[in-house]
Amino acid sequence: MDRLTEIASHAREAANVLQTLTTTQKSAFLNAIHAKLASAKSQILASNKKDKDLALPQVEAGKLSASLYKRLDLEGPGKFDTMLQGIKDIEQLEDPVGKVLLANKLDNGLELYRVSCPVGVLLVIFEARPEVVANIAALALKSGNAAILKGGKESFHTCEAVSNAIREAMEEISKTLEDQTGGDKGAMKNLAHAIQVVESREDIDGLLKQDKYIDLVIPRGSNALVKYIQWNTRIPVLGHADGLCSTFVAESAKLDLAKKVIVDAKTSYPAACNSTETLLVHASHLNTDFFQQLAQTLVDHGITLKCDHKSLASLQKSSNNHADKVQASNDEDYDTEFLDLTLAVKTVDSVEEAIQHINEHGSKHTDAILTEDEAEAKRFMAGVDAAGVYWNASTRFADGFRYGFGAEVGVSTNKTHARGPVGLEGLVIYKYQLHGNGHATADYGTGEGKRPYLHERIDLQDKDTLSELAQKRPRLN
């Protein structure tokens, strides 16, 4: 067995054990990881500084983008503490495994249940952002999945330090569970491989062929990375290639609201995939000082505006000094994820035109409308084909932590089982469990001695589990 097959098969063995763990056992792992990372903070940040020191000359030489460098930083205000809090938040979330999603009574004593279960083995590939190692590890363990992680080479030392702390925590708790349960020590030993980190691009090429063991690939990074993954594997891929988010300022939008929302959507983290990249402005605002005031606020916050002919002409009439921050746009600007303080501006005459533009040029990530007209907002949210559609709110809210998911494994623009910020619920699927008592299909049908199926829906209460349902009714009645 070659090295990559061994990595994938070990992950499968770990996943087979993880799917049987109780909520309490999974919490023990998560709390241990939180404690271990907290105690290793100085070593992890020292490794992060080493990565940044090595990356900075690459940025200065134009070989590494400034946006990627920003994502590498784990020393920034609150970033390490946010990573730790994400683990605690995930630990405190409801266990997504073992939930009864549907229950049908096929016959007396013959009941069918659709029950949530882990996906299995995840392959998560990301660029920079070393905190992803901790986030994904926590989400995977809480949802009963094993994970193989590959970070960018620019974050190697940080990822290594974080993964070493996680592995130490996993080994310690696995040993504790062995001693407490007296169970299969070989099975518990497999949990040491529940979270694995690989280093090279060549490793990824090999792992993308491991469809026997790996169930889902989640790429987080550039358009080029995601496209490469999608084109080079038979394993299902969950993710998004671009974050081309738009905000539409409708005719009835309030100026102060527009200023606040758009400044946040563009400047709070320009390198994020949920940052607004295109500003659509209703043509009526060009006939008043609304757009001039809005534009002034944006350039005052350091934003460069790439304007279409109409919006550019409107600003050129203004006495405000926009010369260094206002430029003419080209067609490519409306298909560009700038990941910087640059905003493409386009004039539209209606909500329908805004919807058409977004559906043609957007990436199905997150788009927003600013309007006081509820009917118009509903038309926009129904018509825009995106994982997130917002009314009078910043596109930057498209985030698993802000949604209350604890953290996210990524953002999906797919139209599969998970869409938008993917938290715990996106990492579980379901299986059908049939509970009988010697039932056989030959007993059912038409004719002498046959009986029909009942096919009665069993009423479910919120958060019902199989054990709770069993307590509510006898298996045979």
Side-chain angles (χ1 to χ4, degrees):
M1 183 181 293
D2 65 78
R3 182 177 64 88
L4 295 179
T5 302
E6 187 174 359
I7 289 172
S9 64
H10 281 167
R12 170 58 63 194
E13 291 168 355
N16 290 341
V17 179
L18 284 168
Q19 66 181 352
T20 68
L21 295 185
T22 66
T23 302
T24 300
Q25 289 171 329
K26 288 188 283 189
S27 289
F29 281 107
L30 291 171
N31 288 328
I33 289 171
H34 179 275
K36 186 68 70 172
L37 288 172
S39 66
K41 179 177 179 178
S42 60
Q43 299 96 303
I44 293 170
L45 292 184
S47 297
N48 187 240
K49 186 177 186 305
K50 184 175 182 179
D51 282 330
K52 291 191 297 181
D53 290 344
L54 291 171
L56 187 57
Q58 300 295 312
V59 177
E60 294 171 345
K63 297 180 180 179
L64 184 71
S65 70
S67 61
L68 205 61
Y69 182 80
K70 292 176 185 176
R71 294 179 180 181
L72 174 62
D73 183 19
L74 197 56
E75 293 185 290
K79 289 194 73 174
F80 194 90
D81 291 338
T82 298
M83 178 184 74
L84 292 180
Q85 186 59 45
I87 297 172
K88 294 298 293 183
D89 290 343
I90 291 168
E91 186 275 324
Q92 294 168 15
L93 291 173
E94 182 183 0
D95 194 334
V97 177
K99 299 301 177 186
V100 180
L101 309 175
L102 176 146
N104 281 342
K105 183 177 181 179
L106 308 188
D107 194 6
N108 291 332
L110 184 63
E111 296 180 345
L112 177 70
Y113 301 98
R114 182 192 293 161
V115 185
S116 62
C117 64
V119 170
V121 177
L122 314 175
L123 172 59
V124 185
I125 305 160
F126 55 95
E127 296 175 336
R129 297 194 66 172
E131 71 270 23
V132 169
V133 176
N135 292 343
I136 303 303
L139 285 166
L141 293 173
K142 182 71 175 187
S143 56
N145 294 288
I148 303 170
L149 309 178
K150 166 64 173 72
K153 61 182 179 180
E154 64 282 342
S155 62
F156 169 75
H157 297 96
T158 317
C159 290
E160 183 180 48
V162 172
S163 63
N164 284 343
I166 292 173
R167 185 179 65 254
E168 290 174 11
M170 295 291 293
E171 290 174 350
E172 291 175 7
I173 298 302
S174 296
K175 182 65 169 62
T176 300
L177 289 178
E178 285 179 6
D179 296 338
Q180 290 177 347
T181 64
D184 185 348
K185 293 188 176 183
M188 285 298 176
K189 187 176 180 180
N190 289 333
L191 291 178
H193 302 293
I195 306 297
Q196 300 179 78
V197 176
V198 296
E199 300 176 7
S200 71
R201 174 68 174 267
E202 290 71 27
D203 287 344
I204 291 304
D205 289 338
L207 288 170
L208 290 176
K209 298 179 174 64
Q210 298 291 337
D211 52 298
K212 178 179 178 181
Y213 300 110
I214 298 173
D215 299 293
L216 186 65
V217 182
I218 305 174
R220 296 181 56 162
S222 67
N223 180 292
L225 170 69
V226 177
K227 291 295 186 185
Y228 179 85
I229 300 302
Q230 292 172 333
W231 294 340
N232 286 277
T233 187
R234 293 179 295 182
I235 305 169
V237 177
L238 185 151
H240 70 281
D242 291 296
L244 280 171
C245 303
S246 297
T247 296
F248 170 46
V249 183
E251 185 173 10
S252 64
K254 292 183 177 179
L255 178 59
D256 288 343
L257 182 149
K259 289 179 179 180
K260 179 181 179 180
V261 170
I262 299 166
V263 167
D264 180 84
K266 184 72 259 188
T267 68
S268 61
Y269 191 0
C273 63
N274 55 14
S275 174
T276 287
E277 302 288 12
T278 298
L279 178 64
L280 301 176
V281 180
H282 193 277
S284 63
H285 295 309
L286 275 58
N287 301 322
T288 68
D289 64 351
F290 183 109
F291 180 57
Q292 283 78 14
Q293 290 190 52
L294 175 59
Q296 183 66 56
T297 297
L298 297 179
V299 299
D300 285 348
H301 282 80
I303 302 171
T304 296
L305 303 177
K306 294 199 167 190
C307 301
D308 67 351
H309 175 72
K310 292 181 180 179
S311 58
L312 182 62
S314 174
L315 293 180
Q316 288 174 338
K317 294 178 183 178
S318 170
S319 60
N320 293 326
N321 182 17
H322 299 295
D324 60 334
K325 289 292 184 180
V326 177
Q327 305 169 8
S329 65
N330 56 48
D331 291 342
E332 290 75 21
D333 289 330
Y334 301 105
D335 297 305
T336 299
E337 187 180 18
F338 297 107
L339 300 175
D340 207 344
L341 289 174
T342 302
L343 195 58
V345 182
K346 182 177 178 60
T347 309
V348 295
D349 292 320
S350 65
V351 65
E352 287 76 19
E353 186 177 350
I355 292 169
Q356 182 179 0
H357 176 90
I358 292 171
N359 287 344
E360 182 177 348
H361 296 275
S363 62
K364 305 183 189 301
H365 190 297
T366 304
D367 302 288
I369 182 173
L370 310 183
T371 181
E372 296 303 301
D373 185 336
E374 181 177 355
E376 182 180 45
K378 289 181 177 178
R379 285 203 304 277
F380 180 89
M381 291 189 287
V384 169
D385 183 10
V389 284
Y390 296 174
W391 176 15
N392 287 346
S394 168
T395 57
R396 289 279 288 122
F397 279 104
D399 175 83
F401 178 78
R402 296 185 179 105
Y403 277 14
F405 298 167
E408 67 181 34
V409 71
V411 177
S412 172
T413 55
N414 298 357
K415 294 184 179 180
T416 54
H417 80 289
R419 201 177 187 205
V422 179
L424 286 177
E425 291 185 1
L427 297 181
V428 295
I429 192 67
Y430 55 81
K431 63 174 66 173
Y432 286 100
Q433 295 189 15
L434 185 64
H435 296 198
N437 189 35
H439 291 76
T441 59
D443 296 331
Y444 300 90
T446 58
E448 185 177 356
K450 304 288 187 179
R451 62 180 184 271
Y453 291 102
L454 297 180
H455 286 161
E456 296 175 355
R457 184 62 58 90
I458 298 173
D459 291 334
L460 297 175
Q461 301 298 318
D462 188 34
K463 303 179 183 178
D464 264 341
T465 64
L466 281 176
S467 60
E468 290 166 342
L469 286 173
Q471 294 171 5
K472 293 178 182 178
R473 63 179 63 82
R475 287 188 63 238
L476 297 175
N477 51 26

